Amino acid sequence: MSVSALSTPRALGGVSGLLQAASLLGLVLLLLKAAQLYLRRQWLLKALQQFPSPPSHWLYGHMQEFQDETELRPLLKRVEKYPSACARWLWGTKALVLIYDPDYIKVVLGRSDPKSHDSYRMLIPWIGKGLLVLEGQTWFQHRRMLTPAFHYDILKPYVGLMADSVRVMLDKWEELVSLDSHLEVLGHVSLMTLDTIMKCAFSHQGSIQTDRNIQSYIQAIRDLGNLTFSRLRNALHQNDIIYRLTPEGRWSHRACQLAHQHTDGVIQLRKAHLQKERELEKVRSKRHLDFLDILLFARMENGSSLSDRELRAEVDTFMFEGHDTTASGISWILYALASHPEHQQRCREEIQSLLGDGASITWDHLDKMPYTTMCIKEALRLYPPVPFIGRVMTKPITFPDGRSLPAGIPLSLSFYGLHHNPKVWPNPEVFDPSRFAPGSDRHSHAFLPFSGGSR
């Protein structure tokens, strides 16, 4: 018998042995992972036992309870049934605690726990690591660097720019309403707020409300918001590699590219203007710089300037946060007033008496419209533009009623639940501006349309 004939069975035996060893190793790793998940679930069950909730499935938790079109109704049922807070199981070994009580929220916002990485990391491909996502010392440095952009002296002249943007929008509305009795306002208001932020924070000249190309950016932002919210609900989409291979992941990537093209264009245009000596001297002579100019001139404590990635992240963050949540809030305010014409009429009369022969609102008018302010606040209570935020406890926390949680538990601060909590706001579904009448008494953390605390 030849040597080659003998070596073949040996080789096959060697391969078979390797396969058996690999299979055994895979089985051991699988069992270890299963044991790890089981222990994690048991730890969560013990940690959350003080926070009851509706029965949950061992695999997909409460996901069936919170369907796409019924997210808010089950939330409000929980707010009514479970005092202050309750557990919400996402799937398997993922759970968080929903809180909607002002005393609970005050305790959490008084600490400096980090944001929930699982949810905020999904925003990074879109807005990068800007102020919304940053933590710790880097967040503190960027925040301190940008504080001058919000000085009262720089905000005052912005009121005139805002009025100009609103006037362009209203002129368009007059034309459209003459053709049709219905008007979908969100798209128009988004263009107006984007136009405003471009003028005020990015030194943009002219109006973008008549620029058809900007519609692609507005649509990309809307798509990214919907896709991010949808991804949070899907267990399979939590993994970045798997998500990038899905149709939704590819759609999100294209939308990110469109959004980045817009912000890159804004940055490059401003850089080009600053290369002109006259424009550079004009900017340097300003007492207070615009948001983008602060970023371009910024030097960190170690003397280094922002990298291109950091610069775009702050611009992406501010452009999105500066126009989208504002547009949402304004649109819901208009909806609330249209739904309650008696309050709308009082606001109209108040502003007309304030304006007299003037063409538009000025800075000095802003503290002289108490009833309109009450209506705005009540609309923001009913429809908060930021419905929730996430935090992860880095150390144990004890709430005012004695219930406690260990470190490592994610919290969802539900501002929508807080604003609709009948123990905090009697008849919470009723539009009642008198809740915010001068001198009215309420908890310091009962009304948080844009969050609160150190951030």
Side-chain angles (χ1 to χ4, degrees):
M1 185 179 291
S2 66
V3 174
S4 60
L6 289 171
S7 61
T8 300
R10 290 175 184 170
L12 291 173
V15 171
S16 176
L18 285 173
L19 289 174
Q20 288 177 352
S23 299
L24 182 61
L25 179 62
L27 180 60
V28 170
L29 291 175
L30 186 63
L31 289 172
L32 286 173
K33 187 63 178 177
Q36 181 187 27
L37 293 174
Y38 174 78
L39 292 174
R40 168 71 180 176
R41 182 172 174 83
Q42 293 303 115
W43 179 80
L44 281 171
L45 286 168
K46 183 178 180 181
L48 302 179
Q49 63 184 352
Q50 297 181 58
F51 298 87
S53 65
S56 63
H57 189 272
W58 69 270
L59 179 60
Y60 48 80
H62 292 119
M63 296 301 286
Q64 284 192 327
E65 180 188 354
F66 291 89
Q67 297 300 320
D68 286 356
E69 299 302 322
T70 58
E71 175 79 20
L72 299 179
R73 278 180 288 187
L75 170 63
L76 295 184
K77 287 181 181 177
R78 284 174 173 236
V79 170
E80 200 167 337
K81 184 174 181 180
Y82 303 106
S84 306
C86 68
R88 177 175 174 181
W89 288 86
L90 304 177
W91 49 80
T93 57
K94 287 281 187 180
L96 52 80
V97 174
L98 281 167
I99 65 174
Y100 32 79
D101 177 89
D103 289 318
Y104 271 53
I105 289 176
K106 182 178 181 179
V107 171
V108 176
L109 292 181
R111 298 169 28 134
S112 56
D113 297 290
K115 298 157 190 172
S116 174
H117 176 72
D118 285 346
S119 53
Y120 282 86
R121 72 176 176 82
M122 296 179 188
L123 297 172
I124 293 176
W126 169 12
I127 61 174
K129 293 185 178 181
L131 277 178
L132 183 65
V133 177
L134 286 174
E135 296 287 352
Q137 187 62 25
T138 307
W139 172 86
F140 180 76
Q141 289 179 346
H142 284 218
R143 182 68 185 87
R144 187 166 61 181
M145 174 186 69
L146 289 170
T147 296
F150 305 98
H151 193 282
Y152 269 110
D153 288 344
I154 197 174
L155 293 177
K156 286 180 181 179
Y158 288 169
V159 176
L161 295 174
M162 294 173 191
D164 291 340
S165 295
V166 171
R167 199 173 294 113
V168 172
M169 180 183 73
L170 295 180
D171 289 343
K172 288 168 61 179
W173 283 9
E174 283 192 10
E175 292 181 23
L176 293 169
V177 170
S178 66
L179 302 174
D180 190 356
S181 59
H182 297 88
L183 182 67
E184 192 282 306
V185 301
L186 179 59
H188 295 277
V189 175
S190 294
L191 274 175
M192 182 272 292
T193 55
L194 181 60
D195 187 37
T196 300
I197 207 74
M198 290 282 286
K199 290 175 181 175
C200 298
F202 301 106
S203 305
H204 184 79
Q205 302 298 314
S207 174
I208 65 167
Q209 294 189 69
T210 54
D211 182 358
R212 292 185 178 180
N213 294 327
I214 205 67
Q215 289 288 356
S216 60
Y217 173 75
I218 294 285
Q219 188 58 50
I221 295 301
R222 199 161 298 167
D223 290 344
L224 285 167
N226 292 333
L227 287 165
T228 302
F229 190 63
S230 175
R231 185 183 177 188
L232 284 168
R233 300 163 171 273
N234 193 316
L236 297 177
H237 288 178
Q238 305 305 300
N239 182 279
D240 291 339
I241 296 174
I242 293 175
Y243 185 65
R244 280 195 289 266
L245 297 174
T246 65
E248 291 84 358
R250 293 193 293 272
W251 184 4
S252 177
H253 179 69
R254 289 193 300 271
C256 282
Q257 288 181 314
L258 282 171
H260 293 161
Q261 286 172 11
H262 175 70
T263 49
D264 284 342
V266 170
I267 295 168
Q268 295 308 317
L269 183 63
R270 191 61 188 153
K271 280 184 175 180
H273 281 171
L274 292 176
Q275 288 175 356
K276 300 174 183 177
E277 189 172 339
R278 181 181 296 178
E279 180 70 13
L280 188 59
E281 290 305 314
K282 186 170 72 173
V283 170
R284 282 178 172 162
S285 67
K286 285 183 177 181
R287 186 179 175 192
H288 300 286
L289 298 180
D290 290 343
F291 175 85
L292 182 54
D293 291 334
I294 286 175
L295 290 174
L296 292 173
F297 286 114
R299 287 288 182 273
M300 305 303 284
E301 291 177 350
N302 59 6
S304 64
S305 59
L306 292 176
S307 67
D308 289 344
R309 184 185 292 266
E310 289 173 320
L311 180 62
R312 189 174 76 179
E314 295 299 354
V315 171
D316 274 324
T317 298
F318 197 74
M319 193 171 293
F320 161 61
E321 290 289 337
H323 95 270
D324 188 74
T325 52
T326 311
S328 172
I330 292 172
S331 298
W332 280 113
I333 290 165
L334 294 175
Y335 170 79
L337 289 175
S339 303
H340 302 86
E342 68 280 12
H343 298 295
Q344 179 175 262
Q345 182 59 28
R346 284 191 63 177
C347 291
R348 180 182 288 113
E349 291 170 357
E350 180 178 71
I351 292 172
Q352 286 175 339
S353 66
L354 191 64
L355 285 176
D357 297 329
S360 61
I361 296 292
T362 66
W363 177 272
D364 293 332
H365 289 141
L366 296 181
D367 61 351
K368 297 175 182 176
M369 47 180 80
Y371 196 78
T372 303
T373 301
M374 288 158 54
C375 288
I376 290 171
K377 288 182 176 180
E378 177 66 350
L380 291 174
R381 181 191 69 80
L382 280 168
Y383 313 108
V386 181
F388 65 91
I389 60 172
R391 294 287 184 268
V392 177
M393 301 297 97
T394 54
K395 55 186 179 181
I397 186 171
T398 300
F399 295 107
D401 59 5
R403 291 193 288 182
S404 61
L405 287 169
I409 296 292
L411 297 182
S412 179
L413 282 65
S414 176
F415 301 135
Y416 189 91
L418 169 72
H419 290 178
H420 292 255
N421 189 337
K423 296 180 179 63
V424 180
W425 301 96
N427 301 314
E429 303 307 315
V430 175
F431 182 82
D432 180 10
S434 67
R435 302 178 200 269
F436 296 94
S440 57
D441 185 37
R442 63 177 177 275
H443 193 288
S444 62
H445 287 65
F447 178 61
L448 297 171
F450 297 99
S451 186
S454 61
R455 295 187 179 87

